[in-house]
Each structure stands twice: as C-alpha cells, then as structure tokens.
Amino acid sequence: MKIKVNKKILAKNEDFAVANRKFFKKQGLFCINMISSPGSGKTTILTETIKLLKNKIRIGVIEGDLQTEIDAERIRKTGAQAYQIETQGACHLNAEQITNALSKLDLEKLDIIVIENVGNLVCPADFDLGEEKRVFVLSTAEGDDKCAKYPQSFAKADILLLNKIDLTKYLDFDIARVKKDAMKLNKNLKIFEISAKTLEGMDNWLNWLLKSSKKK
Ligand code: MG
Ligand code: ZN
C-alpha cells in the first residue's frame, strides 16, 4: 500500500516537473537543483557565486527550508532575487511548489534559476523539479563514506561540488576515494573541488555555470 501511494505522489510530481522543464526552455532560463545535507555550505556557495558573477549573469534563487526566511535573506543581501518556500516540516521540495514559486520572481530579469533544496540526502533525490542540471554538494566535514550510504544522490547528479576543501588538512577526508567511488556510481559526473570560504577552486565551477547557462 505504501508503495502505491508513493508511486502516485511521484507521478503527480513528474507532471509538474515536465511542465516546469518546458517552461524554463521557453523562457530561456537555465535551472539547477542543489541537493545536500544541512550545513554543507549551499547558501554560501550561492552568495559567493552570485557576487562573483554579478556583472556576467543574473541569478535568482528559490530557497527550500522547513522554516525561516534566513537563507532567502542572505541571498537578497547580495542584491539577487530570492523566494523562500517554507515546507512546514516536509523534508524535500516538489515540482508543484516550484511552479508556484516561479510566479513570485521577476523572470524577465533572470538568466539562471537555482533551487536550493531542503538539506536532506534521502528523498530530494527522488523528486525531479524540472531542473536542467542537478548539483550535489558534499562538504569534507561530512565524512568520505557518503557514496556508499547515499548512492542515489550521486547517481542522479550532474555535478558534484566537493566543498570546504580548505578544511581537509584537519580532517580524515580522502578526496581521491570519494572521487573514485562517485565516478563508479555515475561515470558522467563532473566533480569540482571548491571552498566557498577561501574561494579556492571556484573558477572551475563558475566557468561551468556560465558556459552551461549560455548554451540555452
Ligand atoms: Mg541553506
Ligand atoms: Zn522528503
């Protein structure tokens, strides 16, 4: 019975995801869905990305959190548009919420929409939001065993951002092992090692983002 209900929920989600994807294409918007556990640094990656690309491309953000506007406010401080979805306990975003959020942004003034999903490595992986690319953020502070524990998150991503690489000197985080394990799960995965704090490695990520969004 449980499986039936889940199938129904996912089928409904897929209808909205297909519509969102069509809409993004029509509008010439490049949409990415960012997934990670809480505290991996998604919002910091976004504020730094927005600041560094300010004169090159216009980024708007849809924030997903259980509660609070904290992350949307951090994004707005950079001057970018942000809309906060408060899920009131739901542990992932669904495509219908994105459809609704799109009407809250001035899309004519945007080139890229970033969806910052609820921090959770389990169900966000199952919910297509209509994004063109999926970005999975793993920070070095979380440990290097995540490929084995959450294979879906790696298998369904296009990009892996290994964040907080400035901390590796204090941690037992084996970057080579994670890269090898991740590529085993997804041979098309592109991996960028970054630190949104020191800005180390950010260039590669920014170049990818610029290039991909202009292919539209
Ligand atoms: Mg955040
Ligand atoms: Zn969930």
Side-chain angles (χ1 to χ4, degrees):
M1 198 59 203
K2 198 179 166 207
I3 289 167
K4 236 182 188 172
V5 173
N6 285 344
K7 267 191 184 157
K8 217 172 152 190
I9 289 170
L10 286 174
K12 184 187 170 209
N13 184 73
E14 197 49 36
D15 290 344
F16 278 97
V18 167
N20 287 348
R21 193 166 282 113
K22 254 190 212 154
F23 177 80
F24 291 134
K25 199 165 186 176
K26 200 178 106 209
Q27 293 279 319
L29 284 163
F30 180 65
C31 176
I32 65 175
N33 177 7
M34 272 178 118
I35 292 178
S36 80
S37 56
S40 67
K42 292 190 296 304
T43 313
T44 304
I45 292 171
L46 284 176
T47 55
E48 298 319 297
T49 297
I50 290 165
K51 284 189 236 164
L52 290 163
L53 294 181
K54 197 166 59 191
N55 299 320
K56 293 189 173 146
I57 205 134
R58 302 167 302 175
I59 301 174
V61 181
I62 297 172
E63 285 287 346
D65 278 296
L66 271 66
Q67 271 166 7
T68 78
E69 287 256 341
I70 292 171
D71 282 0
E73 277 160 16
R74 284 176 63 194
I75 300 291
R76 286 186 202 117
K77 267 194 195 142
T78 68
Q81 293 185 55
Y83 178 74
Q84 180 80 49
I85 298 171
E86 286 183 69
T87 65
Q88 307 298 344
C91 48
H92 60 271
L93 292 175
N94 65 54
E96 185 177 6
Q97 289 171 312
I98 301 306
T99 307
N100 297 333
L102 287 170
S103 67
K104 309 286 200 285
L105 296 168
D106 185 355
L107 300 175
E108 295 302 319
K109 292 185 179 150
L110 295 177
D111 305 301
I112 297 176
I113 302 247
V114 179
I115 301 163
E116 184 184 332
N117 218 310
V118 179
N120 174 5
L121 289 187
V122 187
C123 37
D126 288 330
F127 283 79
D128 179 8
L129 302 180
E131 73 270 14
E132 187 164 336
K133 299 286 181 193
R134 189 173 286 191
V135 175
F136 178 42
V137 182
L138 176 68
S139 72
T140 56
E142 294 166 60
D144 55 16
D145 54 2
K146 293 295 176 289
C147 294
K149 290 184 177 173
Y150 304 97
Q152 284 283 63
S153 296
F154 293 88
K156 293 184 174 176
D158 299 289
I159 298 292
L160 172 61
L161 292 180
L162 282 177
N163 191 29
K164 309 191 188 180
I165 49 160
D166 54 312
L167 297 182
T168 46
K169 53 182 176 284
Y170 308 109
L171 303 165
D172 295 318
F173 186 91
D174 185 342
I175 290 185
R177 172 192 165 183
V178 171
K179 285 168 102 171
K180 202 173 128 207
D181 290 351
M183 294 303 290
K184 252 190 235 161
L185 292 166
N186 180 349
K187 65 176 170 31
N188 297 316
L189 193 66
K190 267 200 176 73
I191 304 174
F192 299 123
E193 297 171 34
I194 64 168
S195 166
K197 185 117 185 158
T198 64
L199 303 184
E200 196 177 338
M202 285 288 277
D203 278 0
N204 298 327
W205 153 246
L206 298 177
N207 286 336
W208 174 84
L209 188 60
L210 271 179
K211 238 202 220 155
S212 309
S213 64
K214 282 179 179 159
K215 271 191 211 145
K216 296 291 297 176

